[in-house]
Amino acid sequence: MFLQFLLLRSPNNPSQVKSLSFAEVMRLVQEGKDVPGVRKVDIQASNQSATPSQMERIRKPWEVASNNLALIFQNTCPSAWKTVGSH
Amino acid sequence: METKVFRCPARHGYAVEASPFFPGRLACAASQHYGIAGGGSLLVLDDTPTGPGLARRWEWSDGLFDVSWSEANENVLVAAGGDGSLQLWDLHRDAPLRLAKEHAREVYAVDWSQTRGHDAIVSGSWDRTAKVWDPTLGQSLSTFTGHQGVIYSTIWSPHISACFASSSGDGTLRVWDAKAGACRLAVPAHDAEVLTCDWCKYDQNVAATGSVDGSVRVWDLRNPRRPLHRMTGHDYAVRRVKFSPFSGNMVASCSYDFTVRFWDWKRESALVDTVAHHSEFVCGLDFNLHVPNQVLDCSWDETVKIYTPPCLSGAGPRP
């Protein structure tokens, strides 16, 4: 059973509620009023492992373009980077 | 300019990301009521000749602000929630695989590492911390403090293993070494909040920031006292910057001024194109990794758009 399809078919489908402007929503929230179309959904994790991958990682365009392996994959931040000021 | 549009009624788009595995697939993190109240939805769209169609949709109990695809498993993606949670989703499952609830405030940024040999997730939160996670989203591996303001963006370097950049409401761009657990660099990038940052894909020392001040700045991290370029043109805050995967010169930005702009940052007159096809804040932006010059964006106007901007419509990618 697909939870998302239940929500789409429910009478409280948010897409059927009149669209409020940003200012209208802000005002409702600041006044502590209920915002229409808001449903409480309680979603639990399954804690299952992921569907096994069946695809190889694809090289990025910059990996294909570059012949310089040092550019493609570096292990540490370059020592040439120096911080500015006392942040 | 041919544009394909996907409409998601009552959902305001915050982030889009192109799939690393499928040329026509993208994920979109969207929120109800502009992300101020209510829930959120995570959408997976597949582009077709007749336009983008919905492949998958999940609801979340709070707004969703960012999304990132796994680089190791084509079925997996992670989303960042307004309730401080990260959720790990699987295309073949209705319920999220894992929930991580460590951040004390909204998680505004999440990114999955692209470098080989390092499979990890980084998150950035309004609680001022960044966290690094293993790909199963177990307990976080490290927490990074130092920012004096909310974190808006955390992005892994595409070249340097376990290195990520962050941008913050404190006006700085920071670069972190996740293996050492240390901040390597802190750049006072703007005099206003820095909402976004990204790495150049063709020069490991180059990064860009976008700010509430409306500018995009490009930085050489070897000499961060002054930017390589200050690019102005946006009328309001810059919400996201993205370097092109196909060109070292090209960087795109989207803004609260409703536009998406394209810049050749190596040219003095950098602005190359302005795309004004939205009627609300444009928050999400990405380049397709497989289709040169194709751009994805999403906006508070309840649409996701797929297009090739005029400046990139010429034959082949720009040098």
Side-chain angles (χ1 to χ4, degrees):
Chain A
M1 179 143 62
F2 294 103
L3 179 63
Q4 66 270 28
F5 290 122
L6 278 182
L7 291 175
L8 286 172
R9 289 201 207 120
S10 80
N12 289 331
N13 181 358
S15 70
Q16 291 162 3
V17 172
K18 168 186 165 292
S19 275
L20 298 173
S21 72
F22 180 87
E24 285 167 334
V25 179
M26 281 297 288
R27 192 170 346 112
L28 286 170
V29 169
Q30 283 162 350
E31 291 171 0
K33 295 186 175 146
D34 284 340
V35 183
V38 171
R39 288 172 56 93
K40 194 73 187 138
V41 289
D42 185 28
I43 297 158
Q44 308 289 327
S46 66
N47 292 311
Q48 293 174 320
S49 49
T51 301
S53 170
Q54 292 181 313
M55 293 179 72
E56 290 292 316
R57 183 189 182 279
I58 299 171
R59 291 176 80 192
K60 305 298 180 198
W62 57 89
E63 293 170 347
V64 173
S66 174
N67 293 322
N68 183 350
L69 286 171
L71 180 66
I72 292 172
F73 184 50
Q74 272 234 9
N75 268 317
T76 54
C77 299
S79 54
W81 295 355
K82 294 175 171 44
T83 205
V84 175
S86 57
H87 281 259
Chain B
M1 183 179 81
E2 190 213 329
T3 305
K4 295 184 187 174
V5 183
F6 181 85
R7 297 188 180 280
C8 29
R11 290 296 180 270
H12 307 282
Y14 265 80
V16 285
E17 188 169 294
S19 164
F21 291 95
F22 299 105
R25 179 163 288 175
L26 67 98
C28 174
S31 296
Q32 198 181 6
H33 294 310
Y34 309 95
I36 304 167
S41 305
L42 185 59
L43 311 173
V44 176
L45 308 182
D46 280 333
D47 193 17
T48 74
T50 50
L54 187 66
R56 221 23 172 120
R57 175 174 174 155
W58 298 279
E59 302 303 318
W60 188 245
S61 48
D62 210 303
L64 293 177
F65 296 137
D66 203 5
V67 60
S68 191
W69 288 98
S70 166
E71 291 285 334
N73 187 330
E74 69 278 13
N75 304 296
V76 175
L77 55 168
V78 62
D83 56 356
S85 76
L86 290 162
Q87 322 99 38
L88 199 65
W89 300 91
D90 183 318
L91 293 175
H92 303 283
R93 306 252 191 275
D94 298 336
L97 297 174
R98 294 295 300 259
L99 299 177
K101 298 181 184 182
E102 289 187 26
H103 281 295
R105 288 204 56 193
E106 291 84 341
V107 189
Y108 219 62
V110 67
D111 192 35
W112 204 298
S113 173
Q114 292 181 321
T115 47
R116 293 180 183 282
H118 182 248
D119 197 16
I121 296 166
V122 65
S123 60
S125 168
W126 288 2
D127 69 9
R128 305 186 172 189
T129 74
K131 286 177 182 279
V132 171
W133 315 77
D134 73 80
T136 65
L137 212 59
Q139 195 171 14
S140 67
L141 302 173
S142 311
T143 298
F144 298 85
T145 56
H147 272 301
Q148 310 282 300
V150 300
I151 294 178
Y152 287 113
S153 177
T154 48
I155 308 274
W156 292 109
S157 164
H159 298 295
I160 296 145
S161 183
C163 171
F164 69 92
S166 62
S167 76
S168 168
D170 66 10
T172 69
L173 166 73
R174 281 177 180 254
V175 178
W176 309 81
D177 181 339
K179 281 183 195 143
C183 180
R184 285 281 173 248
L185 200 56
V187 181
H190 298 261
D191 290 328
E193 294 190 290
V194 190
L195 302 185
T196 179
C197 60
D198 194 28
W199 296 87
C200 181
K201 313 306 188 284
Y202 290 86
D203 188 331
Q204 63 176 16
N205 298 301
V206 173
T209 52
S211 169
V212 167
D213 68 13
S215 75
V216 176
R217 295 182 181 178
V218 182
W219 304 89
D220 184 333
L221 299 178
R222 294 166 299 186
N223 184 17
R225 285 193 176 280
R226 51 176 59 234
L228 293 172
H229 215 320
R230 280 189 184 85
M231 306 188 299
T232 54
H234 280 299
D235 297 313
Y236 292 102
V238 176
R239 183 64 182 76
R240 205 170 294 263
V241 289
K242 274 290 164 205
F243 275 94
S244 165
F246 292 95
S247 158
N249 293 14
M250 167 120 320
V251 62
S253 57
C254 65
S255 166
Y256 289 173
D257 72 3
F258 303 176
T259 72
V260 181
R261 291 177 197 244
F262 297 85
W263 317 82
D264 180 344
W265 64 271
K266 292 188 181 176
R267 280 182 12 178
E268 181 160 338
S269 177
L271 180 62
V272 179
D273 239 340
T274 300
V275 173
H277 63 183
H278 282 293
S279 54
E280 254 297 352
F281 291 2
V282 189
C283 294
L285 180 64
D286 200 11
F287 283 88
N288 193 318
L289 283 163
H290 312 269
V291 180
N293 310 322
Q294 189 187 79
V295 177
L296 321 171
D297 70 29
C298 71
S299 164
W300 280 14
D301 66 11
E302 304 174 358
T303 67
V304 176
K305 299 198 175 188
I306 302 172
Y307 56 100
T308 297
C311 63
L312 299 180
S313 292
R318 291 163 78 86

